[in-house]
């Protein structure tokens, strides 16, 4: 939504999503919609991005991947909308439509394709996803890289925006602090928040200058979730004493594994 708000006078947009009747898991609908457009570029932003929700899909996805009956497998994915269904099968539908129509594809990926064991990562580093969400996003990357299409893969991290329609991590913290709820925030985990307006400008440059390949498109500041919460409290005048420290081991116990340090 922010992409179209900021660049509405630069590009002519055609919106394709569930909200206007196109399900990414419906191969024929995706092909029909993309084929009927004169646009030369498809920006693929659709994803199932709830990390723990994707992890819960893993066993079912692996079960379906073992099916020999492709039609049965695809029917199950369309109905169940698992992580593999949306992030891989859905991406394949978009890729196939772009191949048939000769359109360039811009794919929004994630810093989570890396395992977080190094201090920093370049575009040339080999991904090593450690949770199912990241695995499915990396599979999407490979589909696009192997498609023969002109493409951009933009890896982003912790996007947030100034206007709070979407429940990103900044809005989630503000919502809790507004209610004077206590926050237990991780202090031994590194993240790189990315302001969505900056992300939009970067994508504009990549499209306008006809770039191709993989690009890490993230903010410039590495920070712990604890320090991010303190900064938010200070900016909006909330009580900092509501924010206490916890460890990665405690906070993520029983949840999908997360990369420790991702600095792209």
């Amino acid at each position: 939504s922010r992409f179209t708000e900021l660049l509405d006078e630069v590009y002519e947009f055609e919106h394709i999503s569930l909200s206007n009747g196109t399900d990414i898991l419906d191969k024929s609908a995706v092909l029909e919609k993309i084929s009927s457009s004169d646009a030369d570029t498809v920006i693929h932003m659709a994803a199932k991005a709830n990390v723990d929700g994707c992890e819960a899909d893993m066993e079912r996805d692996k079960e379906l991947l073992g099916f020999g009956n492709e039609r049965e497998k695809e029917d199950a994915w369309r109905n169940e909308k698992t992580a593999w269904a949306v992030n891989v099968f859905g991406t394949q539908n978009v890729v196939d439509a772009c191949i048939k129509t000769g359109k360039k594809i811009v794919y929004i990926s994630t810093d989570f394709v890396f395992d977080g064991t190094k201090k920093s990562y370049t575009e040339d580093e080999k991904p090593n996803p450690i949770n199912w969400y990241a695995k499915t996003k990396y599979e999407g990357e490979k589909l696009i890289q192997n498609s023969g299409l002109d493409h951009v893969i933009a890896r982003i991290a912790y996007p947030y925006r100034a206007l709070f329609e979407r429940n990103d991590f900044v809005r989630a913290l503000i919502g809790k602090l507004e209610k004077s709820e206590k926050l237990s925030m991780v202090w031994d985990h590194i993240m790189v928040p990315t302001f969505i307006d900056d992300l939009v400008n970067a994508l504009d440059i990549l499209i306008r200058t006809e770039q191709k390949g993989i690009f890490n498109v993230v903010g410039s500041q590495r920070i712990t979730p604890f320090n991010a919460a303190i900064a938010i409290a200070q900016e909006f005048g909330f009580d900092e004493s509501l924010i206490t420290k916890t460890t990665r081991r405690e906070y993520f116990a029983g949840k999908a594994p997360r990369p420790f340090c991702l600095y792209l």
Side-chain angles (χ1 to χ4, degrees):
S1 59
R2 189 61 173 157
F3 191 86
T4 58
E5 286 173 8
L6 290 179
L7 298 178
D8 190 50
E9 295 183 1
V10 179
Y11 304 103
E12 182 179 347
F13 292 101
E14 297 176 53
H15 187 54
I16 304 175
S17 75
L18 277 173
S19 65
N20 63 7
T22 304
D23 187 343
I24 194 174
L25 303 182
D26 186 334
K27 185 183 294 287
S28 60
V30 171
L31 177 59
E32 179 182 357
K33 193 73 174 180
I34 291 178
S35 297
S36 65
S37 172
D38 293 329
D40 57 11
T41 301
V42 174
I43 304 173
H44 178 20
M45 295 184 174
K48 185 168 185 177
N50 181 305
V51 177
D52 294 318
C54 289
E55 199 74 7
D57 292 338
M58 179 169 62
E59 292 306 317
R60 177 56 173 161
D61 277 333
K62 288 182 176 179
E63 178 185 3
L64 291 172
L65 286 168
F67 281 15
N69 186 317
E70 290 299 316
R71 181 62 178 270
E72 186 178 356
K73 181 189 304 183
E74 292 180 8
D75 286 345
W77 273 329
R78 277 195 293 270
N79 291 329
E80 299 179 36
K81 294 179 170 51
T82 62
W84 193 278
V86 178
N87 297 345
V88 186
F89 178 64
T91 295
Q92 183 69 70
N93 290 340
V94 177
V95 167
D96 288 345
C98 288
I99 290 173
K100 289 184 178 180
T101 57
K103 299 184 190 301
K104 181 177 181 177
I105 186 168
V106 177
Y107 177 66
I108 306 302
S109 190
T110 172
D111 60 337
F112 269 36
V113 298
F114 298 114
D115 57 20
T117 59
K118 298 181 63 176
K119 288 185 178 180
S120 63
Y121 291 87
T122 68
E123 286 83 352
D124 296 328
E125 302 282 351
K126 184 177 180 180
N128 182 34
I130 61 173
N131 58 52
W132 194 242
Y133 161 68
K135 170 69 173 174
T136 60
K137 290 297 291 182
Y138 180 42
E139 290 297 320
E141 285 192 8
K142 290 192 286 185
L143 286 175
I144 288 162
Q145 287 180 286
N146 295 329
S147 68
L149 292 167
D150 286 347
H151 66 267
V152 165
I153 294 172
R155 293 174 178 150
I156 70 172
Y158 293 96
Y160 69 96
R161 63 177 293 175
L163 303 175
F164 298 121
E165 290 89 350
R166 183 176 177 87
N167 194 30
D168 55 40
F169 81 94
V170 173
R171 183 179 182 183
L173 295 181
I174 289 174
K176 291 181 180 296
L177 290 169
E178 282 179 333
K179 299 174 184 177
S180 296
E181 294 182 21
K182 292 183 178 181
L183 294 177
S184 185
M185 301 300 296
V186 179
W187 66 270
D188 58 348
H189 179 88
I190 303 297
M191 57 190 256
V192 183
T194 307
F195 185 43
I196 287 179
D197 290 20
D198 292 338
L199 171 60
V200 169
N201 290 333
L203 290 174
D204 175 34
I205 292 170
L206 291 173
I207 294 168
R208 186 159 32 84
T209 59
E210 300 182 349
Q211 299 297 314
K212 299 174 187 177
I214 298 173
F215 298 87
N216 297 335
V217 187
V218 299
S220 59
Q221 181 184 17
R222 61 171 68 184
I223 193 170
T224 68
F226 173 78
N227 287 335
I230 291 293
I232 290 168
Q234 291 174 344
E235 180 68 24
F236 290 90
F238 296 122
D239 183 359
E240 294 178 44
S241 69
L242 294 168
I243 305 167
T244 58
K245 292 182 178 180
T246 188
T247 64
R248 300 177 69 247
R249 179 175 293 182
E250 292 171 341
Y251 188 83
F252 294 121
K255 299 180 181 179
R258 262 73 166 179
F260 158 61
C261 176
L262 289 175
Y263 191 60
L264 276 57

